[in-house]
Coordinates of all heavy atoms in Angstrom, one line a residue:
R1 N 106.5 183.6 142.7 CA 107.8 183.3 142.1 C 108.4 182.1 142.8 O 108.4 182.0 144.0 CB 108.8 184.5 142.4 CG 110.2 184.2 141.9 CD 111.0 185.5 141.9 NE 110.5 186.4 140.8 CZ 110.7 187.7 140.8 NH1 111.3 188.3 141.8 NH2 110.2 188.4 139.9
I2 N 108.8 181.1 141.9 CA 109.4 179.9 142.5 C 110.8 179.7 141.9 O 111.1 180.1 140.8 CB 108.5 178.7 142.1 CG1 108.4 178.4 140.6 CG2 107.1 178.8 142.7 CD1 108.0 177.0 140.2
L3 N 111.6 179.0 142.7 CA 112.9 178.6 142.2 C 112.6 177.3 141.4 O 112.1 176.3 142.0 CB 113.8 178.3 143.4 CG 115.2 177.8 143.1 CD1 116.0 178.8 142.3 CD2 115.9 177.4 144.4
D4 N 113.0 177.3 140.2 CA 112.8 176.1 139.3 C 113.8 175.0 139.7 O 114.9 175.0 139.3 CB 112.9 176.4 137.9 CG 112.5 175.3 136.9 OD1 112.4 174.1 137.4 OD2 112.3 175.5 135.7
Q5 N 113.4 174.1 140.5 CA 114.3 173.1 141.1 C 114.7 172.0 140.1 O 115.6 171.3 140.3 CB 113.6 172.4 142.3 CG 113.5 173.5 143.4 CD 113.0 172.9 144.7 OE1 113.1 171.7 145.0 NE2 112.4 173.8 145.5
R6 N 114.0 172.0 138.9 CA 114.5 171.1 137.8 C 115.8 171.5 137.2 O 116.5 170.7 136.7 CB 113.4 171.1 136.7 CG 112.0 170.6 137.2 CD 111.0 170.8 136.1 NE 110.9 172.3 135.9 CZ 109.9 172.8 135.2 NH1 109.0 172.1 134.6 NH2 109.9 174.2 135.0
R7 N 116.1 172.8 137.4 CA 117.3 173.3 136.8 C 118.5 173.3 137.7 O 119.7 173.6 137.2 CB 117.1 174.8 136.3 CG 115.8 175.0 135.5 CD 116.0 174.5 134.0 NE 116.8 175.3 133.2 CZ 116.4 176.3 132.5 NH1 115.2 176.7 132.5 NH2 117.3 177.0 131.8
L8 N 118.3 173.0 139.0 CA 119.4 173.0 139.9 C 120.3 171.7 139.7 O 119.7 170.7 139.2 CB 118.9 173.0 141.3 CG 118.2 174.3 141.8 CD1 117.6 174.1 143.1 CD2 119.1 175.4 141.8
P9 N 121.5 171.7 140.0 CA 122.3 172.7 140.6 C 123.1 173.5 139.5 O 123.8 174.5 139.9 CB 123.3 171.9 141.4 CG 123.6 170.7 140.6 CD 122.2 170.4 140.0
S10 N 122.9 173.2 138.3 CA 123.7 173.9 137.3 C 123.3 175.4 137.0 O 124.1 176.2 136.6 CB 123.8 173.1 135.9 OG 122.4 173.0 135.5
E11 N 122.0 175.6 137.2 CA 121.4 177.0 137.0 C 120.5 177.4 138.1 O 119.8 176.5 138.7 CB 120.6 177.0 135.7 CG 121.4 176.8 134.4 CD 120.5 176.8 133.2 OE1 119.8 175.8 132.9 OE2 120.4 177.9 132.6
V12 N 120.5 178.7 138.4 CA 119.5 179.2 139.3 C 118.5 180.0 138.5 O 118.8 181.0 137.9 CB 120.1 180.1 140.4 CG1 119.1 180.7 141.3 CG2 121.1 179.3 141.2
V13 N 117.3 179.4 138.3 CA 116.2 180.0 137.4 C 115.0 180.2 138.2 O 114.6 179.2 139.0 CB 116.0 179.1 136.2 CG1 114.8 179.7 135.3 CG2 117.2 179.0 135.4
T14 N 114.3 181.3 138.2 CA 113.0 181.5 138.8 C 112.0 181.6 137.8 O 112.2 182.0 136.6 CB 113.0 182.8 139.7 OG1 113.3 183.9 138.9 CG2 114.0 182.7 140.8
L15 N 110.8 181.2 138.2 CA 109.6 181.3 137.3 C 108.6 182.2 138.0 O 108.3 182.0 139.2 CB 109.0 179.9 137.1 CG 109.9 178.9 136.4 CD1 109.2 177.5 136.4 CD2 110.3 179.3 135.1
D16 N 108.0 183.1 137.3 CA 106.9 183.9 137.8 C 105.6 183.4 137.3 O 105.3 183.3 136.1 CB 107.0 185.4 137.4 CG 108.2 186.1 138.1 OD1 108.7 185.5 139.1 OD2 108.6 187.2 137.6
L17 N 104.7 182.9 138.2 CA 103.5 182.2 137.9 C 102.3 183.2 138.2 O 102.2 183.5 139.4 CB 103.4 180.9 138.7 CG 104.7 180.0 138.6 CD1 104.5 178.9 139.6 CD2 104.9 179.6 137.2
G18 N 101.6 183.5 137.2 CA 100.5 184.5 137.4 C 99.1 183.9 137.6 O 98.2 184.7 137.9
T19 N 99.0 182.6 137.4 CA 97.6 182.0 137.6 C 97.7 180.7 138.4 O 98.8 180.1 138.5 CB 97.0 181.6 136.2 OG1 97.8 180.5 135.6 CG2 97.0 182.8 135.3
E20 N 96.6 180.3 138.9 CA 96.6 179.0 139.7 C 97.0 177.8 138.7 O 97.6 176.9 139.2 CB 95.3 178.8 140.4 CG 94.1 178.6 139.5 CD 93.4 179.8 139.0 OE1 93.9 180.9 139.1 OE2 92.2 179.7 138.6
D21 N 96.6 177.9 137.5 CA 96.9 176.8 136.5 C 98.4 176.7 136.3 O 99.0 175.6 136.2 CB 96.2 177.0 135.2 CG 94.7 176.9 135.3 OD1 94.3 176.1 136.1 OD2 94.0 177.5 134.4
E22 N 99.1 177.8 136.3 CA 100.6 177.8 136.2 C 101.2 177.2 137.4 O 102.2 176.5 137.4 CB 101.1 179.2 135.9 CG 100.8 179.7 134.5 CD 101.2 181.1 134.3 OE1 101.5 181.9 135.3 OE2 101.4 181.5 133.1
V23 N 100.6 177.5 138.6 CA 101.1 176.9 139.9 C 100.9 175.4 139.9 O 101.9 174.7 140.2 CB 100.5 177.6 141.1 CG1 100.9 176.9 142.4 CG2 100.8 179.1 141.1
V24 N 99.8 175.0 139.4 CA 99.5 173.5 139.4 C 100.5 172.9 138.4 O 101.0 171.8 138.8 CB 98.0 173.3 138.9 CG1 97.8 171.8 138.5 CG2 97.0 173.7 140.0
E25 N 100.7 173.5 137.3 CA 101.7 172.9 136.3 C 103.1 172.8 136.9 O 103.8 171.8 136.7 CB 101.7 173.7 135.0 CG 102.5 173.1 133.9 CD 102.1 171.7 133.4 OE1 100.9 171.3 133.7 OE2 102.8 171.1 132.7
A26 N 103.5 173.8 137.6 CA 104.8 173.8 138.3 C 104.9 172.7 139.3 O 106.0 172.0 139.4 CB 105.1 175.2 138.9
I27 N 103.9 172.5 140.0 CA 103.9 171.4 141.0 C 103.9 170.0 140.3 O 104.7 169.1 140.6 CB 102.7 171.5 142.0 CG1 102.8 172.8 142.9 CG2 102.5 170.2 142.8 CD1 101.6 173.1 143.6
R28 N 103.1 169.9 139.3 CA 102.9 168.7 138.5 C 104.2 168.2 137.9 O 104.6 167.1 137.8 CB 101.8 168.8 137.5 CG 101.4 167.5 136.8 CD 100.4 167.6 135.7 NE 101.0 168.3 134.5 CZ 101.9 167.8 133.7 NH1 102.3 166.6 133.9 NH2 102.3 168.5 132.7
T29 N 105.0 169.2 137.4 CA 106.2 168.9 136.6 C 107.4 168.9 137.5 O 108.6 168.9 137.0 CB 106.4 169.9 135.5 OG1 106.5 171.2 136.0 CG2 105.3 169.8 134.5
L30 N 107.2 169.0 138.8 CA 108.3 169.0 139.8 C 109.2 170.2 139.8 O 110.4 170.1 140.2 CB 109.1 167.7 139.8 CG 108.3 166.4 140.0 CD1 109.2 165.2 139.8 CD2 107.7 166.5 141.4
A31 N 108.7 171.3 139.3 CA 109.5 172.6 139.4 C 109.6 173.0 140.8 O 110.5 173.6 141.3 CB 108.9 173.7 138.5
V32 N 108.6 172.6 141.6 CA 108.5 172.8 143.1 C 108.6 171.4 143.7 O 107.8 170.5 143.3 CB 107.2 173.5 143.5 CG1 107.2 173.6 145.0 CG2 107.0 174.8 142.8

């Protein structure tokens, strides 16, 4: 579970990532 930092500060949204590919995409798109 990551805090989607692209949505801050106006929203607090978390993403549940179930695969390594989803984690890679979250890092690549600066969600982390």
Side-chain angles (χ1 to χ4, degrees):
R1 178 169 289 155
I2 65 160
L3 176 64
D4 188 346
Q5 295 184 21
R6 300 169 296 192
R7 308 287 289 270
L8 294 173
S10 60
E11 295 179 277
V12 176
V13 176
T14 59
L15 303 174
D16 288 346
L17 312 172
T19 68
E20 67 274 14
D21 291 334
E22 291 175 340
V23 174
V24 168
E25 185 66 9
I27 293 169
R28 189 185 70 71
T29 61
L30 298 176
V32 178

